Amino acid sequence: MKTQWWKKAVVYQIYPRSFCDSNGDGIGDLNGITSKLGYLKELGVDVLWISPFCQSPMHDNGYDVSDYYSINPEFGTMTDFDRLLESAHNMGLKIVMDLVVNHSSNEHPWFTESRSSRENPRRDYYFWRDGRDGGPPNDWKAFFSGPAWTLDKATGQYYLHCFSPQQPDLNWENPSLRAEIFDMMRFWLNKGIDGFRMDVISFISKPLNAGSLVFPDGDMRILVPNGPRVHEFLSNMRREVLSRYDIMTVGEASGVTVDEAVKYANSGGSELDMVFHFEHVGLDGSETGKWNDLKINLVELKKVLTRWQHGLFGRAWNSLYWCNHDQPRIVSRLGDEGEYREKSAKMLATCLHFMQGTPYVYQGEELGMTNAPFAGIGDYRDLESINAYEELVVQEKRIAEGEMLRYLRLKSRDNSRTPMHWNGGRHAGFSDSEPWIMLNPNYREINAEEQMQRAGSVFAYYKTLIKLRKEMDIITHGDYQLLMPDDPYLFIYTRSYGGEELIVACNFSGFGQVFTLPERFHSAKVLIANEAHPITEGAVSLGAFGAVVLAAT
Ligand code: ISL
Ligand code: CA
């Protein structure tokens, strides 16, 4: 049995393009990351998950890999990577890579060969099918707009792409493909990396019954996740590759339910160490997807997160996140961008960081960074946003332009991809020249330099949260119980472990809330709080976006 060090770890996600630019071309890079290791050490995180940095035509900022063995020149060289890894290790920081193997780039040599003829030995590395009634083989819609199939004139067949046409899906049914992927994983593991975050790994087994070549019609987002052979593929991967190294693995598992997660992230350790689920961040979606102005409902949020806390307890392991490179900023989504920005950022962090699981902090979250004031469609860089606008506004005219721009400001993935705010100076200290995507103009108030030297900053608060997790086993191992499930403003839960007990109380509303403490907390001591919190006569009164954690004595 390995040590399972990742159960006590805090992971920090870096989106390399937007983190720090070392050579003044406006694009973040590996040397930029190396130059900021001191900052990350100061924050106290243990693991850095770096979004893709391998060779790529960058249609999806590296989530479209054309060579898994080399570094994209915009990000640096293999020597830069080796130096980053060594420096991180010297400082006691681990590095986890993004493994993007549900699909490759359409510029990967495998795809070039595969498309070249129906007889090519690598034809079967991707999914090629004949059309149906003069159109695609089935009715699937791709994640990034349009059909999930594209006709390739060279051979007159269609290929499958669940994302964009530049991201053809790899055919995991093919054993040689699997062997090539496992070899590539060993290459990086032998370099000494500390694990993988696996991109849409829940999609790798397509819904094909044994021997059948027919893709069923229906909603691709429901049909593709958790396919018939996914657990077989992952347990083979575990046996043949992962189990030989002392690493952590987290699978991005779009469409995963608690029951499925218990298989992927089972505590027997036969597949992955944990998965990312989407249920909580999907709560402001609708049948028509994410382009709307719906808000996450707190009662629903509590229900979902509680179901995951209970469902995985003792059986599997949770990952905890509010933010990543695909999500809008949490302060803008569930907190307050104005007067209570810092306070709500701390409240949200408190709520998440006292749960059971491994917490993930996305760059800038520790500063309380917000969504960006993009003005027009020309300000966006993300293909998902641009394609959705083109499809829904320009072509189908289903959403008016102004309305769509409003939805994009709320939900676009670019909200989290604006450059990191290092200081209040030129280009926020991110780069010496114009960044590849606009800066959020609020970097003058919200930046790392200012927060690192201010005791009450969001950064300082995250440091404390991370430190508490290291010191207190109850945060890692304790039992979780939700109180007041139907309260529309308060999220209150307890953790208990070996006779100790904590109560975590968070006010998700912009006005004061009072609640009565259970008897056993009447003389409790404050572990952490984001405000002066009067506890009087067995009651707590929390101001707008207040948060407090009490330890029973
Ligand atoms: O971001 C999403 C919708 O806004 C998700 O549906 C997302 O596409 C899905 O979670 C898969 O995400 C991952 O794979 C994509 C890539 O664009 C994302 O950045 C990545 O996190 C394709 O590789
Ligand atoms: Ca650069």
Side-chain angles (χ1 to χ4, degrees), residues 246-394:
D246 185 17
I247 54 170
M248 66 162 264
T249 52
V250 51
E252 189 208 24
S254 197
V256 72
T257 57
V258 167
D259 287 341
E260 277 295 324
V262 167
K263 300 181 203 159
Y264 286 109
N266 67 79
S267 33
S270 66
E271 297 185 26
L272 305 177
D273 297 324
M274 58 193 127
V275 291
F276 293 126
H277 72 82
F278 284 74
E279 286 195 38
H280 62 315
V281 292
L283 288 172
D284 54 9
S286 67
E287 319 83 73
T288 56
K290 65 194 265 185
W291 306 116
N292 57 49
D293 55 7
L294 297 175
K295 281 283 190 189
I296 293 176
N297 171 287
L298 183 66
V299 173
E300 292 300 316
L301 179 71
K302 291 194 280 188
K303 210 181 279 172
V304 165
L305 292 177
T306 300
R307 185 151 44 72
W308 280 85
Q309 288 290 300
H310 289 311
L312 267 50
F313 188 79
R315 304 203 286 163
W317 192 249
N318 264 299
S319 60
L320 308 170
Y321 75 96
W322 288 132
C323 304
N324 61 41
H325 64 293
D326 293 334
Q327 301 295 330
R329 294 284 181 178
I330 199 64
V331 173
S332 306
R333 199 175 191 179
L334 271 171
D336 176 59
E337 287 185 349
E339 186 185 351
Y340 300 115
R341 185 184 58 78
E342 291 220 327
K343 204 174 164 197
S344 63
K346 294 174 191 171
M347 181 280 288
L348 291 161
T350 310
C351 184
L352 195 76
H353 280 250
F354 275 91
M355 292 190 185
Q356 184 174 52
T358 300
Y360 288 73
V361 179
Y362 177 72
Q363 64 185 50
E365 180 184 339
E366 76 283 14
L367 306 175
M369 277 179 68
T370 63
N371 283 355
F374 298 107
I377 190 67
D379 289 336
Y380 290 92
R381 298 288 174 270
D382 175 24
L383 86 170
E384 181 193 45
S385 297
I386 295 167
N387 292 357
Y389 179 93
E390 179 62 27
E391 183 172 76
L392 300 169
V393 177
V394 181

Side-chain angles (χ1 to χ4, degrees), residues 124-293:
D124 196 35
Y125 270 32
Y126 298 85
F127 297 101
W128 294 98
R129 295 292 185 273
D130 290 329
R132 182 178 71 182
D133 312 326
N138 78 354
D139 65 356
W140 290 1
K141 295 263 295 159
F143 266 93
F144 298 151
S145 303
W149 298 90
T150 291
L151 177 65
D152 195 46
K153 293 209 187 73
T155 55
Q157 284 191 309
Y158 289 79
Y159 66 90
L160 175 70
H161 52 86
C162 291
F163 295 89
S164 77
Q166 294 84 18
Q167 294 164 298
D169 280 61
L170 288 162
N171 177 12
W172 277 67
E173 306 287 325
N174 184 312
S176 326
L177 181 268
R178 297 200 298 269
E180 290 209 54
I181 289 175
F182 290 0
D183 280 344
M184 177 271 286
M185 293 171 71
R186 288 185 197 101
F187 166 80
W188 289 102
L189 289 165
N190 291 339
K191 268 186 175 294
I193 64 156
D194 303 286
F196 291 111
R197 174 270 187 186
M198 302 184 185
D199 193 60
V200 279
I201 204 70
S202 54
F203 278 33
I204 59 174
S205 165
K206 301 302 186 273
L208 299 166
N209 296 322
S212 162
L213 296 178
V214 181
F215 283 84
D217 283 316
D219 185 344
M220 185 271 282
R221 293 170 192 232
I222 293 172
L223 288 169
V224 174
N226 317 312
R229 299 184 69 190
V230 70
H231 298 293
E232 173 199 333
F233 292 154
L234 290 178
S235 37
N236 283 342
M237 182 196 282
R238 180 73 174 218
R239 220 176 12 255
E240 291 182 30
V241 186
L242 305 173
S243 64
R244 322 261 161 119
Y245 303 84
D246 185 17
I247 54 170
M248 66 162 264
T249 52
V250 51
E252 189 208 24
S254 197
V256 72
T257 57
V258 167
D259 287 341
E260 277 295 324
V262 167
K263 300 181 203 159
Y264 286 109
N266 67 79
S267 33
S270 66
E271 297 185 26
L272 305 177
D273 297 324
M274 58 193 127
V275 291
F276 293 126
H277 72 82
F278 284 74
E279 286 195 38
H280 62 315
V281 292
L283 288 172
D284 54 9
S286 67
E287 319 83 73
T288 56
K290 65 194 265 185
W291 306 116
N292 57 49
D293 55 7

